[in-house]
Amino acid sequence: MTISTQRKMLSARRAAAVAAAALCLAAGCPSCRKRRQNGEPSQQPASAQRGAAITVVASTFPCYDAARAVLGGTLSDGTAQLRLLVKPGAEVHSYDPPPSDIIAIQESDLFIYIGGESDEWIRSVLSGAGSGQTRAIALIDYARTLDEPEFDTDGGAPSGGRIGHQHSGGTENPHEADEHIWTAPDNEIRMVAAVSEALQAAAARKELGQDVSDAFARNAASYCNSVRQAEAALRAAVDAAAERFIVMADRFPFVYFADYYGLDYDAAFSGCSTAVEAGAAVIARLIDTVKAKNLPAVFAIELGNHKLADVVAESAGVPVLILQSVQNVTKDDFAAGETWVSLMERNAEALRSGLR
């Protein structure tokens, strides 16, 4: 089964869940009303209460992080409320929206999501909002996009090499665009700029005053400067390496990251793969690559079980290092306020140790 087929099946299941929830809400069933009244655990600051002037909903952590950076002090003073749908520590690809999340999207002033085939279910939610107040932005529409790489599960090399075909807009891309756009610093800056523009427009609609819009613009500029500093640290780590090759004994949500920094790679699975076990030929290929290139480490992503990485690393006699995909974060990292910037700084340290 191809990655595209897996994603379409998952998107269809999500769409069915959304449709069922919408019918439940429309019919006013008791269970949905109870969930609407009680809500579900959210990851917003304690001071952000219902009734804020601007309510923002972010589908995943990269969207949340950009919005949090731009909103800045409006989150602590109660002007803005920010909700993250996919909870810290959760598997992004298996998320199914409960009724409370659908309501939150439809009642928000701004909904931020990545876009792409995995987010097709969101169209049903947005169409259900009717003529309400919801504005939505798909950040893939603002990004430089690349094709998603496919990895031969029979043990061959990755299809198409390390660099896909570049396109300038997600909505007009006739190919299968990889959705992990935020892993490249240039795309992260584009995303923050898009969120800033959308939030400034929301502030204008709410008549919050020019000072609020100006604060959003300043916050965005400041965060983009921090992104550039993290980019420089990553660039220094890559430039210091003689061999710019990584083996990811895991999913590979790093095609933009690898393309941006000129890294070659091999991996067990594509970034959105639902597979958890690799065949013997794939394992042998990864082990052989680590040994042949004398690589000092094997990489894995955060929040995985790392069993495959452990097998490859033990056989090759090297350690496992974590590369943060920033697709989601642990509960502890979320509570600590970790950001795209701080997580990419961890990646710089991992690359300093894991590149030869």
Side-chain angles (χ1 to χ4, degrees), residues 54 56 66-67 70-71 110 112 194-204 213 216:
I54 298 179
V56 182
V70 175
L71 288 168
L110 179 64
I112 308 169
V195 169
S196 176
E197 182 178 346
L199 285 172
Q200 290 179 62
S213 292
F216 290 164

Side-chain angles (χ1 to χ4, degrees), residues 174-240:
H175 303 276
E176 191 69 39
D178 190 287
E179 297 168 12
H180 306 89
I181 53 175
W182 61 87
T183 60
D186 60 332
N187 274 346
E188 175 68 10
I189 288 173
R190 291 184 178 99
M191 290 166 55
V192 172
V195 169
S196 176
E197 182 178 346
L199 285 172
Q200 290 179 62
R205 291 194 303 271
K206 293 286 188 172
E207 300 181 345
L208 297 183
Q210 188 60 42
D211 57 335
V212 173
S213 292
D214 291 345
F216 290 164
R218 288 193 303 270
N219 293 341
S222 176
Y223 196 63
C224 287
N225 284 336
S226 296
V227 170
R228 294 184 183 97
Q229 291 173 9
E231 188 277 339
L234 285 160
R235 176 65 66 189
V238 172
D239 288 348

Side-chain angles (χ1 to χ4, degrees), residues 7-31:
R7 188 185 294 109
K8 287 177 180 177
M9 291 175 63
L10 180 58
S11 182
R13 289 197 296 270
R14 287 174 173 168
V18 168
L23 287 172
C24 181
L25 291 169
C29 74
S31 62

Side-chain angles (χ1 to χ4, degrees), residues 61 65 182-185 188 223 227 230 326 339-344:
F61 182 77
D65 180 66
W182 61 87
T183 60
E188 175 68 10
Y223 196 63
V227 170
V326 199
T339 67
W340 184 99
V341 171
S342 64
L343 295 172
M344 285 296 172

